[in-house]
Amino acid sequence: MSSVDMIEKAVQSERTSFRQAAKDMDSLTRRPEQRETVGEVRVEDPRVRCNDVNVYYGEKHAVMGVNLDIGRNEVIAMIGPSGCGKSTFLRCLNRMNDTIVGCRVTGQIFMDDQDINASGIDVVPLRAMVGMVFQKPNPFPKSIWENVAFGPRIHGLAHNKAELEEMVVTSLQRAGLWEEVKDRLEQPGTGLSGGQQQRLCIARTIAVGPEVILMDEPCSALDPIATAVIEDLIDELRGHYSIVIVTHSMQQAARVSQRTAYFHLGNLIEVGETTQIFTNPVHKLTEDYITGRFG
Amino acid sequence: MGRVIVQSLEGHSVRRFDGELNNLHLQVLGIAGLATDQARLALRALHDRDSGAAREVMRRERDVDTLEVEVDEQIVAMLARRAPLALDLRIIISFSKMVTHLERIGDEAMRIAELCLRLHGAGEGAGGDALLADAYEMGRGAERMLSLALEVIDTLDAGRAEELLADRGRLQLEFEASLRRLARLTPGDGRAVARAIDAVLIMKALERIGDHARNLAEYVVYVVRGTDVRHRQDLRAPRGPE
Amino acid sequence: MNSQKPTRDGADGMDSRRTIEIVRAGLRRRQAAEKRFRLYGLLAILLGLVFLSVLFVSIVGNGYSAFAQTYVRLPVYFDAAVIDPEGTRDPETLGSADYAGLVKASLREMFPAVTERGERRALYGIISNGAGFELRDRVLGDPALIGTRQDVWLVADDEIDMLVKGRVDRTLPELDRRVKDDQIGWVDRLDAEGRVEKRFNTNFFLAGDSRDPELAGIRGALVGSLYTLLLTLALSFPIGVAAAVYLEEFAPRNRITDLIEVNINNLAAVPSIVFGLLGLAVFINFFGIPRSSPLVGALVLTLLVLPTIIIASRAALKSVPPSIREAALGVGASPMQTVIYHVLPLAMPGMLTGTIIGMAHALGETAPLLMIGMVAFIVSIPAGVFDPATVLPVQIFLWADSPERAFVEKTSAAIAVLLAFLILMNAVAVILRKRFERRW
């Protein structure tokens, strides 16, 4: 190869790499476009109905025009790569995004024909109705009893000590923790194992008597056995509550949910029956994600 | 619509999984090739009265069985290791079933080879020969289907697989026609009857090989389209946006 | 740079040594460096300890003797003609009598040989000027003493105290000493008769300031410090915590809050004397709060420690994991309930520690108090927050300025008391932290 050729080639490759860089810049600055959702987003008699929900973090458009129904007594799983907006969307449902500075939510989220984003809606009753379980077990550094009794107490749900006691016991029983902690209700909740702590958090959530429970990767800090216990519990809780669970474990989504929603770059790409999503997803992005062909 | 799916075996974030899937695919192809070859060899034994070919078929039957066991073990390991979902799940499950059908094809080829040896030992018979000629014709049809199935397994081309499924029943029709011819035959000659029965058994085996080939095509359609076309009269229209 | 690049690949031909050999070769040097590094730290700590012990030894060595005081036993005749010539036992008459004269008479009686005027004055100088007040208090407490003759322990003069404590060099020429040869002779005689004794100096803790070292005590300063600190605490803790909670939990992040934050941090770095000037201008001159009073001192010190408390409280609030807030908000607690039930209890140890450290700072602060007149010479013990008062560090400053030899030990003793209080407060901070600290 002559030196002239080499120079020519170098210039050429320089040019293409420059073009590539320009393209990259373009894709960075251009907002990712909104996509149509594949699959049936509506259900009959929904517990929660979301219409065109958008979330912005400052300039960033984190959730784009999501339409989705959450049925009664169903477990719906939200899956998708990190930063796809699934947790952000989850936190819209009880307006936990309010606590984040620079976060703006548009669109309507209806519960009982009431838009929870409407002005004049107080978040306190909303959060009593839509409980939340977080990624890391976060019991209060107080006794097990206090942890569960906190919710009923601040909402004034119990009229006397006996009622409060019954609420605490029922919640712990429903969370499958009663047998393990009934002899040590006065001990700190932080002294329990990770799985027990997470179930304590679930007990604390259901003590308030919510109708929807949001779970943000509830098992990501737990070992497989504790995870299995929680999953079993989720299956039982389905009889009483609508559950929305965000998870990074496809297997977990497949195990616990009836419907699955796949998020990608702020878009709700596909919704469907869990078995269909995990055996025969319609959208190419869903399939690539589920089969681990990402990036 | 020919979504070429072979490339879709690749692209996993876990590169080893790509390798394992490709490897599995090659092994299934290997069994498929061997099974097809067995069938061809058995047909040659029938047509050319080649007892050596028939014995070769019987000798290689064990290879098919060994390969089947190997592939099954690998599939179990992959299921445990990778917990595959969606396309991967369909591929692996389908491969697992395909292997069973391929092994059965091998079984049928061996049965044909056995029958050939018996026929060769028994000598000639006029009516029977006509039947055997029919059987050979049928065998050509079965072989065509089998090579199409082999191609479809190789390319995982759902369109071609549907072509294969479309000519359903041709072998069956031929088999029924042969049976009618057999009914017309019925002479008192016991030997001729025995030959005729052997010929019918061969045809039955060939028909089964055809069925297995169709099953293989059904699995390919399932892998690609995600729809189960077994036991279904109509074929579903091609689906879905990308 | 190092041209000999170690490679593991022998085929390169550059250096085929194995990594382990290269590591071994440098191992000794590395270990030595490691040891040196630890040694530096150890040396630094030792140096600090040495300075600290020098400080303590010098303070205690100078100050321990101030906790004892020399007393002289004199036979005093409570002469009715002097105390109550008319026999009315009227307290006013009793109070205004010439008790110093009684002491002088007693001394004249003890040493009849001393007749010359100058010598007599030296003789009277053995006993403190305050001895008369001591006698007066006794008489007022028990008028039956009048007309009787009693042996009374009276406080010796500060110079005599120094002499008895061995702090006067007897070998010096008489002119260079404040204690004259005659006085030494008299004291030695009294001592031989068993009339001189060192006792625990209760006066030091019970009396206010005085020009006479043997009568001066720190009670006025202690009470002043106590009032000032209590007021400072009462003002700065709620204000500081409320400000920190608002800034940390509720305030929106914008330019105004950023500005406030920067200014709080700057305020913590403002020289304390500036706060004193501010107090003088605003609290005393504008609001007319009495100068030298604990109230104005507390106001100034509040300004001084507020930044510390706010910064410490905000740090404590920041260290409360956000997951706790999320948990509380998640079950539907309002922001206020979240803060009161969960965030504040968890932040309290840090806040208390910050506050106590701020209080310790306030306890030792002098400069701003000089500006608002707490440096005045105040004998009486303050009875309230509006009375003129002084505080411990200012008292120390005052005594350190006094020329008398006996004030040196008083100064050191007062410093020791101040240090004891500081250590006590820091200990309380540690205990509080240990006690309230929770795991999460």
Side-chain angles (χ1 to χ4, degrees), chain B residues 138-159:
Chain B
M138 249 181 99
R140 294 267 295 277
E143 196 191 323
R144 253 198 326 276
M145 289 177 81
L146 213 45
S147 25
L148 190 52
L150 185 63
E151 181 201 325
V152 157
I153 294 173
D154 186 7
T155 57
L156 294 178
D157 182 341

Side-chain angles (χ1 to χ4, degrees), chain C residues 170-242:
Chain C
R170 296 182 187 221
T171 59
L172 281 175
E174 189 178 7
L175 282 175
D176 292 352
R177 274 187 265 122
R178 302 206 34 172
V179 187
K180 303 302 164 202
D181 284 345
D182 288 346
Q183 287 178 312
I184 292 175
W186 298 323
V187 171
D188 286 347
R189 217 190 91 199
L190 286 170
D191 198 13
E193 289 172 22
R195 289 182 175 276
V196 177
E197 199 176 294
K198 276 193 286 182
R199 295 183 177 181
F200 181 69
N201 191 357
T202 48
N203 215 23
F204 183 66
F205 293 101
L206 294 180
D209 197 8
S210 168
R211 294 284 181 219
D212 297 311
E214 73 275 14
L215 298 178
I218 56 167
R219 183 162 166 208
L222 268 180
V223 172
S225 272
L226 187 73
Y227 282 142
T228 312
L229 273 192
L230 283 180
L231 258 182
T232 308
L233 182 67
L235 288 171
S236 61
F237 185 65
I239 297 176
V241 169

Side-chain angles (χ1 to χ4, degrees), chain A residues 251 278-280 291-294, chain B residues 8 10 12-13 83 86 88 90 226:
Chain A
Q251 274 68 32
F278 285 105
T279 57
N280 188 19
T291 56
R293 286 180 170 85
F294 222 77
Chain B
S8 303
E10 312 202 332
H12 291 93
S13 306
D88 297 337
R90 299 202 304 269

Side-chain angles (χ1 to χ4, degrees), chain A residues 66-86:
Chain A
V66 169
N67 295 294
L68 184 64
D69 281 1
I70 292 153
R72 289 171 200 273
N73 299 346
E74 81 166 352
V75 179
I76 179 165
M78 312 246 168
I79 58 170
S82 295
C84 66
K86 55 191 190 305

Side-chain angles (χ1 to χ4, degrees), chain A residues 91 127 138 140 142 150 155, chain C residues 323 326-327 329 331 341-342:
Chain A
R91 293 166 67 95
R127 288 185 188 146
N138 55 353
F140 301 127
K142 299 190 171 183
F150 178 66
H155 292 300
Chain C
S323 63
E326 280 198 326
L329 292 174
V331 290
Y341 285 104
H342 296 293

Side-chain angles (χ1 to χ4, degrees), chain A residues 27-102:
Chain A
S27 69
L28 276 178
T29 48
R30 201 174 47 209
R31 293 181 171 182
E33 73 276 33
Q34 191 167 331
R35 296 168 193 255
E36 279 294 309
T37 303
V38 172
E40 187 48 61
V41 296
R42 299 298 175 203
V43 298
E44 290 228 348
D45 186 26
R47 177 65 269 189
V48 182
R49 167 159 284 177
C50 304
N51 286 334
D52 193 29
V53 173
N54 289 278
V55 183
Y56 304 85
Y57 288 125
E59 283 299 295
K60 189 174 179 258
H61 197 173
V63 171
M64 293 181 224
V66 169
N67 295 294
L68 184 64
D69 281 1
I70 292 153
R72 289 171 200 273
N73 299 346
E74 81 166 352
V75 179
I76 179 165
M78 312 246 168
I79 58 170
S82 295
C84 66
K86 55 191 190 305
S87 283
T88 306
F89 176 70
L90 184 80
R91 293 166 67 95
C92 290
L93 299 178
N94 69 345
R95 285 181 55 182
M96 278 304 264
N97 284 329
D98 287 14
T99 58
I100 295 168
V101 180

Side-chain angles (χ1 to χ4, degrees), chain A residues 97-289:
Chain A
N97 284 329
D98 287 14
T99 58
I100 295 168
V101 180
C103 181
R104 195 160 54 83
V105 181
T106 66
Q108 296 111 34
I109 299 172
F110 288 103
M111 294 183 75
D112 298 331
D113 299 324
Q114 173 69 59
D115 181 6
I116 64 167
N117 284 330
S119 59
I121 294 288
D122 192 353
V123 294
V124 166
L126 170 67
R127 288 185 188 146
M129 200 156 87
V130 184
M132 187 153 187
V133 176
F134 298 87
Q135 182 173 1
K136 216 177 125 223
N138 55 353
F140 301 127
K142 299 190 171 183
S143 72
I144 293 170
W145 170 276
E146 283 295 323
N147 262 285
V148 184
F150 178 66
R153 199 173 280 158
I154 56 168
H155 292 300
L157 300 181
H159 298 104
N160 53 47
K161 189 122 180 43
E163 262 183 49
L164 185 64
E165 169 138 17
E166 199 195 313
M167 280 180 179
V168 171
V169 173
T170 318
S171 305
L172 283 170
Q173 278 168 344
R174 208 173 257 189
L177 193 61
W178 175 247
E179 287 303 319
E180 291 158 62
V181 301
K182 62 181 175 189
D183 302 324
R184 45 174 175 156
L185 291 174
E186 296 313 312
Q187 288 179 19
T190 41
L192 297 172
S193 76
Q196 288 172 327
Q197 285 189 20
Q198 196 61 295
R199 276 181 282 150
L200 178 60
C201 293
I202 292 174
R204 179 177 68 192
T205 304
I206 58 187
V208 185
E211 298 182 32
V212 181
I213 301 178
L214 311 177
M215 299 189 173
D216 192 354
E217 297 178 43
C219 301
S220 61
L222 305 182
D223 67 74
I225 304 289
T227 302
V229 174
I230 301 269
E231 285 177 6
D232 200 37
L233 174 61
I234 291 174
D235 213 43
E236 272 172 39
L237 292 176
R238 183 159 66 93
H240 306 270
Y241 313 96
S242 300
I243 297 176
V244 187
I245 178 171
V246 165
T247 176
H248 273 144
S249 160
M250 244 90 64
Q251 274 68 32
Q252 178 169 69
R255 285 190 297 258
V256 300
S257 70
Q258 283 77 54
R259 286 203 306 153
T260 298
Y262 172 66
F263 284 77
H264 180 87
L265 291 178
N267 281 297
L268 175 55
I269 298 291
E270 183 168 352
V271 187
E273 298 286 327
T274 296
T275 40
Q276 179 251 312
I277 294 281
F278 285 105
T279 57
N280 188 19
V282 173
H283 204 287
K284 178 84 166 60
L285 284 171
T286 317
E287 175 154 302
D288 281 353
Y289 178 69

